[in-house]
Amino acid sequence: MSINLYSKMLQQRFYCRIKYFSRAYYTVKNHNIAKDENFMAKQLYSRIKATGPITIADYMKEILTNPFGGFYMHKNVFGSSGDFITSPELCQMFGEMVAIWCLNEWSKIGSPKPFQIVELGPGTGSLSQDILRVFQQFKCLNSCSLSLVEVSPYLSNLQGQRLCLKSNNITIPSSPFYKEGIAKEGVQVRWFKRIEDVPDVFSIFIAHEFFDALPIHKFQKTENGYREVLVDNDEKEGHFRYVISRNETPAVKTYIKPSECRDHLEISPQSLLTVNTISNKLESFGGLALVADYGHGGEGTDTFRAFKKHKLHDPLIQPGSADLTADVDFGRLKEAALEGDRVIAFGPVTQQDFLSKMGIHQRYKALEKIASGKQIEALRMSFNMMMDEEQMGKRFKFLSLVPAVLEKIVEKYPVVGFS
Ligand SMILES: C[S@@+](CC[C@H](N)C(=O)[O-])C[C@H]1O[C@@H](n2cnc3c(N)ncnc32)[C@H](O)[C@@H]1O
């Protein structure tokens, strides 16, 4: 069945809106914006002055998601006019490959209904849009809903405009979701702040470049054992520097394993909690999960960095003006997911490997045949960027999780893209 589905999908002519380097963006009204571009620096400086150095996790959380000055909270940071570009933004092919993975794995186990697609950190909504389009093409949207886990009110408005004919903010304080709408394809869309709040039904969890945005703690080996790297005020107001904690912090005691030997390492407790929630939900209510991000298998060291206008930037300079990110530790993520034998995991495999196995070369050829001059150029550029070893091809990894109860089925019919 999967072969038929693939060839049908790969040859489809139903859609050839090849996106140019930056997709067409919607504009949304700004709200709650700090007008002062040094707002975050001042805020952090006062906080550190009052309470002492803060962890990198606290620093990262404030800078990315502070309601007034947080990087994600009040502007569109994606695309050529923003600070970085992601695969779903580059080209429709990426979303199509992810969609066909979801469709295939969901069909394989009998197309359970009702079901929801849950996207964590949907950015501009491009990936969800591509997934809904493919599901609609295969007439699989009956009994489907879309749940988006998004912390940014600005981006949730953008997602609403991209995905829905109309969407409304929910003002009832006890509501688990803060916004709802109906997608152009007719499915119900709801926005949640926390993954814990998404409905308890069969779920296809998708997380693309989500875990790399979650706060990390940084640790350094010293002659007295591991110590935490903290952010302290520098002499000049609004300037910061790294310091090493004098003693073991709670994070050192909680997260450093006795077998650890790296000189430097990073751990994201929020990522471990999130994947733990995914495992719980997969075990209790059924589903599938696909995590894609740049990352390593557990050998990574110092990867914390910032991006501004597509260039590397010092994370301590003008906080709030640049994206902060760290490579995802897939080894640790997988370990947390597998705890208690609730799920089984496949991967991580490289993006190049996953997309190749999903048939991206055939899809590329099919699209190239119907594209015109400029479109072919854009298509080729996006394809190379996603697949090239020096670009995203090797740095990005894919991990999938399925409930442990499906072990026999996946032994017989392996999870596509990973076998
Ligand atoms: C790097 S962007 C990735 C966007 C999109 N997945 C893509 O690949 O284009 C991270 C996304 O996660 C959201 N985000 C960051 N931290 C979050 C959190 N703690 N809870 C929910 N969403 C978060 C951001 O607002 C943004 O939509």
Side-chain angles (χ1 to χ4, degrees):
M1 184 215 57
S2 76
I3 289 170
N4 287 342
L5 194 64
Y6 276 172
S7 40
K8 200 172 158 200
M9 162 74 202
L10 298 172
Q11 295 312 319
Q12 283 287 345
R13 285 180 163 251
F14 63 85
Y15 184 77
C16 188
R17 185 162 59 84
I18 296 164
K19 286 123 192 166
Y20 292 101
F21 193 70
S22 61
R23 292 190 185 214
Y25 291 113
Y26 301 87
T27 49
V28 294
K29 241 171 68 193
N30 289 343
H31 50 108
N32 286 352
I33 301 180
K35 297 272 185 301
D36 179 359
E37 59 178 21
N38 294 318
F39 171 81
M40 285 308 302
K42 286 181 184 162
Q43 181 103 332
L44 285 162
Y45 201 83
S46 313
R47 176 174 167 185
I48 293 171
K49 201 170 168 186
T51 64
I54 58 173
T55 63
I56 301 282
D58 278 347
Y59 182 77
M60 210 170 157
K61 184 172 178 221
E62 270 301 295
I63 285 173
L64 295 183
T65 58
N66 177 289
F68 302 105
F71 176 76
Y72 284 118
M73 304 305 267
H74 58 82
K75 63 180 183 213
N76 188 353
V77 294
F78 301 89
S80 53
S81 58
D83 295 284
F84 57 89
I85 185 104
T86 63
S87 294
E89 294 299 321
L90 272 174
C91 174
Q92 72 187 68
M93 286 186 292
F94 182 85
E96 287 173 350
M97 296 301 114
V98 170
I100 206 71
W101 182 90
C102 299
L103 199 51
N104 189 70
E105 294 307 306
W106 172 72
S107 315
K108 194 164 85 185
I109 49 174
S111 313
K113 289 181 189 135
F115 72 107
Q116 64 181 339
I117 296 161
V118 182
E119 190 183 353
L120 309 178
T124 65
S126 301
L127 182 55
S128 283
Q129 187 184 37
D130 288 338
I131 294 174
L132 288 184
R133 193 185 68 249
V134 172
F135 269 68
Q136 186 184 40
Q137 196 63 28
F138 286 90
K139 304 197 172 26
C140 291
L141 285 179
N142 184 16
S143 304
C144 175
S145 58
L146 176 65
S147 296
L148 301 174
V149 179
E150 175 57 74
V151 75
S152 162
Y154 183 92
L155 289 176
S156 64
N157 279 345
L158 204 65
Q159 293 149 15
Q161 289 190 18
R162 167 159 271 158
L163 294 165
C164 298
L165 297 169
K166 191 171 181 286
S167 57
N168 303 309
N169 291 329
I170 305 295
T171 47
I172 308 162
S174 59
S175 170
F177 51 92
Y178 64 93
K179 187 180 180 74
E180 69 178 338
I182 300 292
K184 291 163 190 161
E185 294 78 6
V187 308
Q188 182 185 58
V189 188
R190 284 180 170 164
W191 280 262
F192 300 81
K193 289 256 155 73
R194 302 167 350 121
I195 187 175
E196 289 80 1
D197 295 332
V198 303
D200 289 334
V201 291
F202 186 98
S203 303
I204 305 175
F205 292 99
I206 306 290
H208 181 262
E209 286 212 41
F210 172 71
F211 284 99
D212 73 276
L214 298 186
I216 51 136
H217 288 266
K218 273 176 90 64
F219 305 100
Q220 194 162 306
K221 202 178 190 177
T222 70
E223 54 194 24
N224 301 315
Y226 283 99
R227 292 292 182 266
E228 188 159 2
V229 180
L230 304 170
V231 176
D232 196 4
N233 285 338
D234 212 346
E235 279 158 26
K236 199 164 162 210
E237 183 163 349
H239 288 237
F240 304 93
R241 63 187 174 122
Y242 294 114
V243 292
I244 305 286
S245 68
R246 219 169 291 146
N247 302 309
E248 283 191 335
T249 57
V252 172
K253 291 183 186 151
T254 315
Y255 298 110
I256 302 283
K257 292 180 185 167
S259 58
E260 186 54 63
C261 56
R262 282 170 286 177
D263 284 344
H264 201 108
L265 70 144
E266 300 161 343
I267 296 173
S268 167
Q270 202 181 329
S271 298
L272 304 182
L273 286 173
T274 304
V275 85
N276 182 50
T277 305
I278 293 177
S279 277
N280 276 341
K281 284 186 179 269
L282 291 182
E283 184 191 37
S284 305
F285 309 104
L288 312 155
L290 189 65
V291 175
D293 227 307
Y294 40 75
H296 55 86
E299 69 289 352
T301 56
D302 182 8
T303 73
F304 178 57
R305 59 200 182 278
F307 281 101
K308 187 172 178 174
K309 300 279 168 220
H310 302 269
K311 291 209 170 88
L312 271 173
H313 178 83
D314 185 334
L316 299 188
I317 289 181
Q318 222 187 9
S321 70
D323 185 27
L324 295 183
T325 177
D327 281 6
V328 171
D329 182 344
F330 278 99
R332 197 86 184 223
L333 214 59
K334 192 166 158 178
E335 203 179 289
L338 292 177
E339 224 172 76
D341 298 327
R342 297 163 293 175
V343 298
I344 41 181
F346 298 88
V349 297
T350 64
Q351 171 155 305
Q352 190 187 54
D353 212 19
F354 176 83
L355 294 178
S356 295
K357 284 182 178 149
M358 293 307 301
I360 197 167
H361 290 92
Q362 294 93 311
R363 183 60 177 149
Y364 173 69
K365 283 193 186 119
L367 284 175
E368 202 181 26
K369 271 191 208 147
I370 49 170
S372 58
K374 258 192 164 177
Q375 287 180 321
I376 294 177
E377 203 183 303
L379 193 65
R380 189 176 308 134
M381 196 175 76
S382 314
F383 180 85
N384 289 341
M385 197 156 172
M386 289 191 290
M387 297 293 283
D388 194 297
E389 292 190 358
E390 298 300 316
Q391 301 193 57
M392 293 170 160
K394 277 252 152 84
R395 276 185 223 155
F396 274 74
K397 313 275 191 307
F398 280 68
L399 174 76
S400 85
L401 305 173
V402 302
V405 71
L406 296 181
E407 192 167 2
K408 290 269 173 303
I409 296 182
V410 291
E411 251 169 46
K412 200 163 172 198
Y413 306 103
V415 174
V416 289
F418 293 86
S419 47

